Amino acid sequence: MKKNMLPAALSNRHIHLTEEDIEILFGRDYDLVKLRDLSQPGQYACEEKIDLVGPKGTIKGVRVLGPARTKTQVEISLADGFTLGIVPPVKDSGDVTGSPGIKIVGPKGELEIQEGLIAAARHIHINPDDAEAFGVVDGQRVKVRTFGFRALIFENVLIRLGDTSVLEMHVDIEEGNAAGLKNGDLVELIVD
Amino acid sequence: MKKNMLPAALSNRHIHLTEEDIEILFGRDYDLVKLRDLSQPGQYACEEKIDLVGPKGTIKGVRVLGPARTKTQVEISLADGFTLGIVPPVKDSGDVTGSPGIKIVGPKGELEIQEGLIAAARHIHINPDDAEAFGVVDGQRVKVRTFGFRALIFENVLIRLGDTSVLEMHVDIEEGNAAGLKNGDLVELIVD
């Protein structure tokens, strides 16, 4: 593999829920059912889905990701925001301060979060060994080049260092399609 | 304005129809009704809409653009292709050779084109004066830089020269959203 190459993955809309919100949406003492593991260790897609209800429209069947988190966060695309009638700010995952809320409907209940609706900023998961090899540090913003007829260079790609992270760039569906990327396609990290 | 800056425009899904296909979909001797002019001289959005029917799903209310053309062409996003169940090749507008067909349903009739479904490649409309000032020629592929948190550099942006063209970069909704672009936002043409 060429130096500084890494695989890309396209994230579809999804939701992370707190234990409390899982109980509201799916019932008392409910446990999420794992559908399949995701590439990052400990993260998984669940059987469960919820609906997002905005002032202009509803998006049904949004996948729940596990495990539960300390704050409920909804990640959608800008196009999804148009469907809902709410503009999601592009923010780093985990940083939902000042983001809009949204109504969430599950099979056993519904709730309205006051903040937590974002379009997740593109980022690279990386472990310390790969980070050293690539010459990047946690929190850095780098450029990433893609290939093919829709080739482009993404700027401001956040480096997210994690001890057990698996090397991968995450973009949303619109970013992936804009670059003609498919899951697993190799892209090139560019450090200025 | 800084040198080599130009406005961007986001193209939503739409269809160009032949006179013959207009009659099949909307009735004998039907004339398209202009809704509003587009930025390029002579081009306009019409009141009329059609439905696209693919093997996996239907997209309703796809805008017809006028005037009639010599070949029917449907321009959708890759996400639209996923909805329909047909992968549109990314091709320059007008070059539909080998592209897939699609079923088109209008208020008075329906038809199935054998080819013509594409995701239009990003391009810049430019007139001879601007082309000379920017140092580009018809058919050239250039890079275009966008700005802001989702800044990126599009490669392979086609230069489309036209005597009366209005300077503008056209991308589809996914490309525009990937770059955080809104209609009219300025981008920078980069000639290597």
Side-chain angles (χ1 to χ4, degrees):
Chain A
M1 190 184 292
K2 189 178 160 193
K3 188 170 177 299
N4 281 8
M5 298 294 281
L6 70 159
L10 283 64
S11 301
N12 204 343
R13 66 184 75 96
H14 62 269
I15 185 167
H16 303 279
L17 291 165
T18 62
E19 293 285 7
E20 184 186 358
D21 288 349
I22 291 170
E23 294 206 349
I24 294 171
L25 297 167
F26 296 99
R28 190 74 179 265
D29 296 327
Y30 189 87
D31 288 319
L32 295 174
V33 179
K34 185 191 290 190
L35 174 67
R36 60 182 170 79
D37 285 314
L38 300 177
S39 54
Q40 299 308 312
Q43 302 296 304
Y44 50 91
C46 302
E47 298 274 5
E48 291 77 12
K49 297 176 180 180
I50 55 83
D51 298 339
L52 298 176
V53 180
K56 192 180 135 202
T58 295
I59 297 177
K60 290 182 169 291
V62 176
R63 180 74 61 191
V64 176
L65 300 193
R69 292 199 178 178
T70 54
K71 182 139 190 170
T72 288
Q73 176 176 304
V74 185
E75 299 178 37
I76 64 171
S77 69
L78 298 191
D80 291 338
F82 186 81
T83 300
L84 295 171
I86 309 177
V87 177
V90 180
K91 291 175 79 74
D92 297 329
S93 178
D95 168 27
V96 299
T97 309
S99 63
I102 182 76
K103 183 176 173 183
I104 304 165
V105 178
K108 294 288 176 63
E110 60 182 58
L111 60 93
E112 185 145 0
I113 56 173
Q114 295 309 303
E115 65 178 19
L117 182 74
I118 64 168
R122 48 208 185 213
H123 56 276
I124 291 173
H125 291 285
I126 196 165
N127 61 52
D129 286 349
D130 288 332
E132 188 177 353
F134 281 24
V136 297
V137 297
D138 188 44
Q140 188 176 352
R141 307 269 173 184
V142 300
K143 294 185 175 72
V144 172
R145 178 192 301 277
T146 75
F147 302 93
F149 189 48
R150 275 193 159 178
L152 54 76
I153 298 172
F154 289 118
E155 301 189 5
N156 293 331
V157 183
L158 177 67
I159 297 291
R160 297 190 79 110
L161 191 71
D163 283 344
T164 62
S165 290
V166 172
L167 183 63
E168 198 169 61
M169 177 180 74
H170 286 188
V171 295
D172 75 8
I173 297 282
E174 292 188 299
E175 293 174 309
N177 283 345
L181 285 174
K182 290 183 174 56
N183 283 321
D185 281 354
L186 293 181
V187 297
E188 181 185 6
L189 187 153
I190 302 168
V191 181
D192 285 332
Chain B
M1 191 184 290
K2 190 178 161 194
K3 189 171 177 297
N4 281 6
M5 298 293 281
L6 69 159
L10 284 62
S11 302
N12 205 344
R13 66 184 75 95
H14 62 269
I15 186 168
H16 303 279
L17 292 165
T18 62
E19 293 284 8
E20 185 187 358
D21 287 351
I22 291 170
E23 293 207 350
I24 294 171
L25 297 168
F26 296 99
R28 190 76 179 265
D29 295 327
Y30 189 87
D31 288 321
L32 294 174
V33 180
K34 185 191 288 190
L35 174 67
R36 59 182 171 80
D37 284 315
L38 299 177
S39 53
Q40 299 307 312
Q43 303 295 304
Y44 49 91
C46 302
E47 298 274 4
E48 291 77 11
K49 297 176 180 180
I50 55 84
D51 297 340
L52 298 175
V53 181
K56 194 180 135 202
T58 294
I59 297 178
K60 289 182 171 290
V62 176
R63 179 74 61 190
V64 177
L65 300 193
R69 292 200 179 178
T70 55
K71 182 139 189 170
T72 288
Q73 176 175 303
V74 185
E75 299 178 38
I76 63 171
S77 70
L78 299 189
D80 291 337
F82 186 81
T83 300
L84 294 171
I86 308 177
V87 177
V90 180
K91 291 175 78 76
D92 296 329
S93 178
D95 168 27
V96 299
T97 309
S99 64
I102 183 77
K103 183 176 174 184
I104 304 166
V105 179
K108 294 286 175 63
E110 59 182 58
L111 61 92
E112 184 144 2
I113 56 173
Q114 295 309 303
E115 64 177 20
L117 183 74
I118 64 168
R122 47 208 184 213
H123 56 277
I124 291 173
H125 291 286
I126 196 166
N127 62 52
D129 286 348
D130 288 332
E132 189 178 352
F134 281 24
V136 297
V137 297
D138 188 43
Q140 187 176 350
R141 307 269 173 184
V142 299
K143 294 185 174 73
V144 172
R145 178 192 300 277
T146 75
F147 302 92
F149 189 48
R150 274 193 161 178
L152 54 75
I153 297 171
F154 289 118
E155 301 188 6
N156 294 329
V157 183
L158 176 67
I159 296 292
R160 298 191 78 110
L161 193 71
D163 283 345
T164 61
S165 290
V166 172
L167 183 62
E168 197 169 63
M169 177 180 76
H170 286 188
V171 295
D172 76 6
I173 297 282
E174 293 187 299
E175 293 174 311
N177 283 346
L181 284 175
K182 290 182 174 57
N183 283 321
D185 280 355
L186 293 180
V187 297
E188 181 185 6
L189 187 152
I190 303 168
V191 181
D192 284 331

